[in-house]
Amino acid sequence: MAVKDRDRFSTSTRIRLLGEQTAARVYRSQTRRQARRSRLTGRAALLALVMCTLIVALAYPMREYVSQRAEIDGLQREQQQARQRVERLRDQKARWQDDAYAEQQIRQRLHYVMPGETGFIVVDPHAARQSHAVLGTADRPWYANVWDGVDKSDASDR
């Protein structure tokens, strides 16, 4: 027992106890520090930086790609409309090649009548009143109307 008491108070024992206590404190502080330390490591930060760089680098080409696709779609729509218009014009040209259709259109649009027929034109009474209001310029000589047109265009420039 005397040996135990002597070991308990010896310098080497005290130093060993102090070392163990210090090691326990360091271990506790490291575990606390590790618990507080964020999980973002250097590799994760580098990966995040690379991903952000890729996103920024690809944003402009993707925007251009989308806008070009929209432009292509618009041009394809215009092309389809132009094809449909060409088809309508071809149909109309083919109809005008037929003499019966041409005669019908001439009679309808130009009010032509065949010899021996009597032509009638029904005038809307409201349209006649409107045309009388415009006839004020028809009562004057033609050169007065021309000069009035020149004066009006000159006044509109100012």
Side-chain angles (χ1 to χ4, degrees), residues 93-146:
K93 180 181 175 185
R95 275 187 266 146
W96 277 100
Q97 298 298 324
D98 183 22
D99 290 336
Y101 179 78
E103 182 181 328
Q104 175 194 8
Q105 291 298 313
I106 290 169
R107 290 176 68 139
Q108 186 179 28
R109 293 180 184 190
L110 301 176
H111 305 290
Y112 278 19
V113 291
M114 297 301 281
E117 294 179 352
T118 306
F120 295 97
I121 298 176
V122 179
V123 179
D124 184 22
H126 299 293
R129 279 190 222 129
Q130 291 175 354
S131 65
H132 286 300
V134 177
L135 283 179
T137 58
D139 296 337
R140 301 184 323 180
W142 66 271
Y143 51 85
N145 292 333
V146 170

